[in-house]
């Protein structure tokens, strides 16, 4: 049911680029238990009528919703009439965002310390700085450019880098969904830990991994969307290429009846059961997959690089947020894949190591157990023959959601580098 509701999502998705930044003052997020068909139908109706928007992609029979201050009293009346139980996750989303903005202002130019969220250009300059300090272990290069012309910069890390091509490759990416800021910064933390710039107590463990593998790390795979979420709409999810007219309604002259839509969901844009489950045909929806697989320049760049190296690819790992989950293939088929035992063991090792760090519980489940989806990056590379292909949904479980406080960047990195090491050791 959750994935069906997602088809209706489009928070700010059809706002024009010249629009003022979206103001979420007074908005609230709620978690609603979907205990009856009546309540599910009610939520569908409210989304269709743009009374609410969906925030989280699914937590079993619960759903996280976003509602404006204006619509909130009517929402409560509707939920009460349907006998719904709910909890308020955020009393004022706008205040949370404003608090986050104040944190962003504390960033010191030229300093990358994992105590803040940084713009793409500073993420890239940090990768270059790592290479400057570790020239025998690291190099950066671009695998392509985004629609707006931003580089998709990766860092490759290994001992004896000059001869690393012969080693099995481990790929890590983040930032596929624009609003999931913690994902790119966790990936950056992992890169730093591999070079012993942070978590130096792990040096011996990561050094053994660097002897055996080459790590290719893409912290920011959707740079256009990420920058837009920083400047204009904090809840933006997709890319930024114009994608069509709202509901597909186009005038004879080619203009849109109800507004121009922007962006494709990049994690619905890979060629894995493309366009069938957990997607929408409305170009303004947050889960619009595009007209065809790999329609986006960033997904094309990932495809081309990964296909070139797939015979040498030992692990694909993509970081998202939120919900604290280790997700295993496949997302569109309830039948367990042939490698399910391998996946189960890998997930168990990762979530146990995460738990041992700060006591955070990450559930080890198949993607389809959460909600059926087509077109994800992990499913696509798994279908290309890469046995170990996973997605991790990071902190938290809903209080802050996509707006994870900066104080949690380092703890999230600490638990996930340990989960990552445990995962790699299962290969």
């Amino acid at each position: 049911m959750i994935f069906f509701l997602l088809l209706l999502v489009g928070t700010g998705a059809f706002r024009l680029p010249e629009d003022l930044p979206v103001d979420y003052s007074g908005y609230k997020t709620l978690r609603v238990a979907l205990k009856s068909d009546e309540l599910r139908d009610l939520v569908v109706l409210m989304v269709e009528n743009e009374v609410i928007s969906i925030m989280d992609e699914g937590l079993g029979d619960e759903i996280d919703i976003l509602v404006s201050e204006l619509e909130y009293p009517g929402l409560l009346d509707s939920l009460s009439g349907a006998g719904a139980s709910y909890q308020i996750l955020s009393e004022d989303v706008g205040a949370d965002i404003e608090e986050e903005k104040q944190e962003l202002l504390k960033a010191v130019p030229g300093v990358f310390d994992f105590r803040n969220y940084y713009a793409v250009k500073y993420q890239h300059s940090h990768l270059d700085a790592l290479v400057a300090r570790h020239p025998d272990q690291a190099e950066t290069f671009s695998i392509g450019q985004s629609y707006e012309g931003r580089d998709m910069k990766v860092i490759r890390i290994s001992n004896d880098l000059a001869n690393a091509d012969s080693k099995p490759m481990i790929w890590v990416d983040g930032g596929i969904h624009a609003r999931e800021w913690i994902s790119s910064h966790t990936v950056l933390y992992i890169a730093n830990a591999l070079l012993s710039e942070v978590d130096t107590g792990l040096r011996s463990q990561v050094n053994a991994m660097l002897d055996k593998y080459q790590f290719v790390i893409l912290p920011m795979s959707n740079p256009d969307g990420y920058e837009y979420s920083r400047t204009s709409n904090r809840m933006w999810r997709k890319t930024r290429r114009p994608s069509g007219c709202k509901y597909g309604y186009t005038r004879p002259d080619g203009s849109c009846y109800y507004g121009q839509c922007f962006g494709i969901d990049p994690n619905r844009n890979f060629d894995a059961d493309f366009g069938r489950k957990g997607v929408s045909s409305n170009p303004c929806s947050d889960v619009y997959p595009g007209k065809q697989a790999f329609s986006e320049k960033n997904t094309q760049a990932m495809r081309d690089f990964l296909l070139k190296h797939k015979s040498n690819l030992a692990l694909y790992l993509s970081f998202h947020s939120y919900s604290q989950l280790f997700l295993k293939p496949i997302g569109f088929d309830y039948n367990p894949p042939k490698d399910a035992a391998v996946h189960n063991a890998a997930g168990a090792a990762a979530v146990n190591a995460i738990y041992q760090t700060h006591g955070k519980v990450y559930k080890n489940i198949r993607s389809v157990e959460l909600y059926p989806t087509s077109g994800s990056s992990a499913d696509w590379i798994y279908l290309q023959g890469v046995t170990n292909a996973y997605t991790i949904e990071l902190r938290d479980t809903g209080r802050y959601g996509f707006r994870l406080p900066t104080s949690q960047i380092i703890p999230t990195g600490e638990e996930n580098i340990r989960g990552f090491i445990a995962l790699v050791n299962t290969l």
Side-chain angles (χ1 to χ4, degrees):
M1 183 60 203
I2 300 294
F3 78 88
F4 177 71
L5 297 176
L6 273 169
L7 309 190
L8 306 170
V9 176
T11 306
F14 53 89
R15 296 182 66 87
L16 298 175
E18 63 268 25
D19 280 358
L20 294 174
V22 179
D23 183 4
Y24 289 100
S25 297
Y27 279 66
K28 299 181 188 295
T29 52
L30 286 75
R31 177 164 295 162
V32 180
L34 301 176
K35 296 181 178 179
S36 67
D37 290 340
E38 177 189 3
L39 183 55
R40 292 185 179 96
D41 292 342
L42 173 63
V43 171
V44 169
L45 181 62
M46 288 190 291
V47 177
E48 287 178 333
N49 291 332
E50 300 186 352
V51 174
I52 61 173
S53 299
I54 307 303
M55 290 293 293
D56 186 70
E57 298 189 6
L59 293 166
D61 287 328
E62 294 180 323
I63 191 166
D64 294 355
I65 62 174
L66 176 72
V67 61
S68 70
E69 186 174 30
L70 178 64
E71 300 286 0
Y72 181 63
L75 170 67
L76 293 188
D77 288 343
S78 297
L79 293 178
S80 176
S85 60
Y86 65 90
Q87 66 180 111
I88 297 175
L89 301 176
S90 173
E91 290 281 0
D92 189 340
V93 173
D96 288 343
I97 293 173
E98 186 58 36
E99 183 178 345
E100 184 180 62
K101 287 179 180 178
Q102 295 307 310
E103 287 296 314
L104 295 180
L105 294 175
K106 296 178 182 178
V108 179
V111 175
F112 198 105
D113 58 6
F114 293 101
R115 300 185 186 280
N116 218 316
Y117 294 109
Y118 295 89
V120 172
K121 65 179 181 180
Y122 295 120
Q123 294 186 33
H124 287 177
S125 63
H126 178 66
L127 294 179
D128 292 334
L130 290 177
V131 171
R133 292 195 292 272
H134 304 274
D136 296 331
Q137 291 181 297
E139 64 178 353
T140 57
F141 54 91
S142 176
I143 63 168
Q145 289 190 323
S146 66
Y147 171 75
E148 293 179 349
R150 294 181 175 89
D151 278 326
M152 296 183 64
K153 180 172 283 192
V154 302
I155 184 167
R156 186 167 76 130
I157 301 172
S158 185
N159 286 341
D160 190 20
L161 186 65
N163 298 305
D165 285 341
S166 61
K167 299 178 184 179
M169 180 181 292
I170 291 175
W171 169 280
V172 184
D173 67 57
I176 256 187
H177 287 145
R179 59 194 179 190
E180 299 168 11
W181 292 5
I182 187 60
S183 67
S184 60
H185 288 68
T186 298
V187 172
L188 285 163
Y189 190 94
I190 288 172
N192 277 258
L194 290 174
L195 293 168
S196 296
E197 295 253 340
V198 296
D199 257 324
T200 55
L202 301 174
R203 187 187 303 270
S204 63
Q205 296 181 65
V206 300
N207 197 53
M209 290 163 49
L210 295 178
D211 285 339
K212 186 175 181 180
Y213 299 103
Q214 55 172 315
F215 295 83
V216 178
I217 298 172
L218 174 64
M220 180 49 65
S221 56
N222 180 11
D224 298 345
Y226 176 75
E227 287 301 312
Y228 188 73
S229 75
R230 289 174 60 90
T231 61
S232 299
N233 185 346
R234 181 61 183 86
M235 299 305 166
W236 189 260
R237 170 183 167 99
K238 303 188 291 180
T239 61
R240 287 297 302 155
R241 183 175 65 84
S243 54
C245 295
K246 188 178 182 183
Y247 304 127
Y249 292 153
T250 306
R251 292 189 176 98
D253 64 2
S255 63
C256 299
Y257 276 107
Y258 300 113
Q260 172 71 53
C261 306
F262 291 85
I264 307 297
D265 182 346
N267 208 41
R268 301 291 187 274
N269 193 236
F270 286 78
D271 193 9
D273 196 51
F274 175 78
R276 297 187 61 196
K277 297 181 178 71
V279 297
S280 171
S281 60
N282 175 15
C284 284
S285 168
D286 273 353
V287 290
Y288 178 61
K291 293 182 179 179
Q292 61 187 28
F294 299 115
S295 62
E296 303 307 282
K297 294 188 70 174
N298 54 334
T299 58
Q300 293 168 15
M302 292 175 66
R303 174 200 62 192
D304 294 347
F305 183 87
L306 290 167
L307 285 179
K308 181 179 179 181
H309 297 281
K310 73 173 184 178
S311 63
N312 198 35
L313 197 60
L315 171 65
Y316 174 92
L317 183 61
S318 184
F319 283 92
H320 290 244
S321 75
Y322 58 96
S323 288
Q324 295 176 197
L325 303 169
F326 185 96
L327 300 177
K328 301 165 293 190
I330 286 180
F332 56 84
D333 187 350
Y334 283 100
N335 296 310
K338 62 182 177 63
D339 302 301
V342 173
H343 300 159
N344 293 342
V351 299
N352 181 64
I354 288 171
Y355 177 76
Q356 295 299 324
T357 308
H358 294 301
K360 293 296 182 181
V361 175
Y362 284 53
K363 295 181 180 178
N364 176 24
I365 64 172
R366 290 183 58 215
S367 297
V368 74
E369 295 177 61
L370 185 62
Y371 52 91
T373 58
S374 299
S376 76
S377 62
D379 280 353
W380 170 74
I381 198 63
Y382 178 71
L383 295 177
Q384 301 303 310
V386 178
T387 299
N388 289 281
Y390 309 108
T391 298
I392 293 181
E393 297 278 357
L394 297 165
R395 295 189 185 189
D396 59 5
T397 56
R399 163 59 186 94
Y400 293 101
F402 306 118
R403 309 172 312 281
L404 195 70
T406 56
S407 61
Q408 295 195 43
I409 297 174
I410 291 176
T412 303
E414 290 171 341
E415 64 201 19
N416 278 279
I417 180 57
R418 286 161 176 80
F420 180 63
I421 291 171
L423 174 60
V424 171
N425 286 338
T426 69
L427 301 178

